Amino acid sequence: MSSISVLGEDEVSSFFESSPPLKNMEEIVHKLNGFIQLNSTGGRRIVCVTSGGTTVPLEQRCVRYIDNFSSGNRGTSSRLDMLSYFSLGGELASHIAGLFLMIHSLSVSSFQITPTFEAVAEARLLKLPFTTIYEYLQMLRLIATAMKDVGPCSMFYLAAAVSDFYVPWKSMVEHKIESGSGPLDIRLAQVPKMLSILRTNWAPKAFCISFKLETDSKILIEKATKALQKYKVHAVVANELSTRKEEVVVVSSSGNVVVRCNSEKPESIVEDNLIRLIVDRHSTYIKEFGT
Ligand code: PAZ
């Protein structure tokens, strides 16, 4: 009798088995392990922030691809907020040790890193760029499994816009798709959901925050609540496309919290309050489950 894959483990395994291997895998693993060793001392936190959108190549020697919407602002602002807490000696200074940033490679050039942050960045920030869905998911698995021993002090803050559909590598044409012979039919497969596997297998003790984007505000909270229950993450940050810079709703088992910018401070951004809330929740989690 064949065993039933409750978490979709079979789909996940076959996704990875058929993915083109990461080109610089050894280098990434080396950087990753060095970073975790350096930063995971004394019960300090390590946070993995993902940001930007993944692409889905249509050809193996890729000329054309399908993109996923994301400017990368959420991830960048969030990690700057997290970094500022410890680099500028704020109250969280002694708690957060390191940050990974998995970022869409096209967004890297738009970073505005001030000199203070740059000095911090060398030891405390590891940027790992990705472009395709294949690169993103392979890197997420590498990071999560490498962080397993960091336990409750590790956090995943998954703000990247990850493709839901893709062209499996084996059914993808090698060369540029020829034009001039009428419309193009492409069949997209569903990208297997990896959040359950992250929570149960890769890094089961990590504090895990996922994001849910919708364009129809009527279904947003319902979808975020379903994701919370299905993937058993610690909170889902729900946002609607047109208002995402002003307001998000943090959906969790303790209720829904609407988070907005500070109306008295014109320069304030929604991430200031969001990060404070998330980091506070993580503190409670660490107290409850130990370091
Ligand atoms: O990158 P950005 O600031 O333009 O947008 C952020 C976001 C909407 C991509 C993010 O908040 C988010 O919701 N990410 C998850 C998207 C999803 O549902 O897959």
Side-chain angles (χ1 to χ4, degrees), residues 78-231:
S78 299
R79 69 102 185 168
L80 284 174
D81 265 337
M82 289 191 201
L83 270 179
S84 71
Y85 285 140
F86 72 90
S87 64
L88 301 178
E91 65 191 82
L92 293 162
S94 57
H95 297 299
I96 300 176
L99 278 152
F100 292 108
L101 187 74
M102 283 177 70
I103 179 124
H104 189 303
S105 48
L106 297 178
S107 313
V108 170
S109 58
S110 70
F111 270 168
Q112 299 292 316
I113 302 178
T114 64
T116 322
F117 287 130
E118 266 181 70
V120 172
E122 278 184 23
R124 299 286 192 227
L125 177 68
L126 176 62
K127 280 194 264 173
L128 296 171
F130 64 85
T131 303
T132 67
I133 181 72
Y134 294 111
E135 289 163 355
Y136 174 86
L137 289 174
Q138 289 183 78
M139 281 164 55
L140 184 64
R141 181 175 62 164
L142 278 181
I143 295 172
T145 49
M147 295 241 281
K148 201 169 191 166
D149 292 340
V150 182
C153 287
S154 57
M155 190 208 297
F156 286 84
Y157 182 91
L158 304 172
V162 183
S163 318
D164 287 316
F165 303 99
Y166 78 121
V167 183
W169 192 252
K170 282 181 184 152
S171 56
M172 197 186 293
V173 293
E174 182 184 352
H175 293 285
K176 185 183 164 207
I177 298 167
E178 291 203 22
S179 58
S181 46
L184 174 65
D185 285 324
I186 304 172
R187 192 175 164 79
L188 300 175
Q190 200 173 339
V191 174
K193 300 289 179 198
M194 308 269 172
L195 263 180
S196 303
I197 311 279
L198 190 155
R199 288 283 301 119
T200 48
N201 295 2
W202 298 344
K205 292 184 179 160
F207 190 66
C208 192
I209 306 299
S210 71
F211 281 70
K212 173 61 77 187
L213 172 70
E214 291 296 338
T215 53
D216 181 354
S217 58
K218 290 195 280 306
I219 61 167
L220 177 63
I221 300 302
E222 184 196 328
K223 295 278 248 175
T225 308
K226 277 193 182 151
L228 180 80
Q229 290 158 355
K230 187 167 179 192
Y231 304 120

Side-chain angles (χ1 to χ4, degrees), residues 50-53 68-77 158-164 210-214 237-241 244-245 248 271:
T50 70
S51 176
N68 227 41
F69 168 82
S70 169
S71 67
N73 266 335
R74 177 83 74 221
T76 304
S77 306
L158 304 172
V162 183
S163 318
D164 287 316
S210 71
F211 281 70
K212 173 61 77 187
L213 172 70
E214 291 296 338
V237 180
N239 52 175
E240 196 264 303
L241 184 69
R244 73 190 190 285
K245 292 189 178 162
V248 298
E271 285 79 9

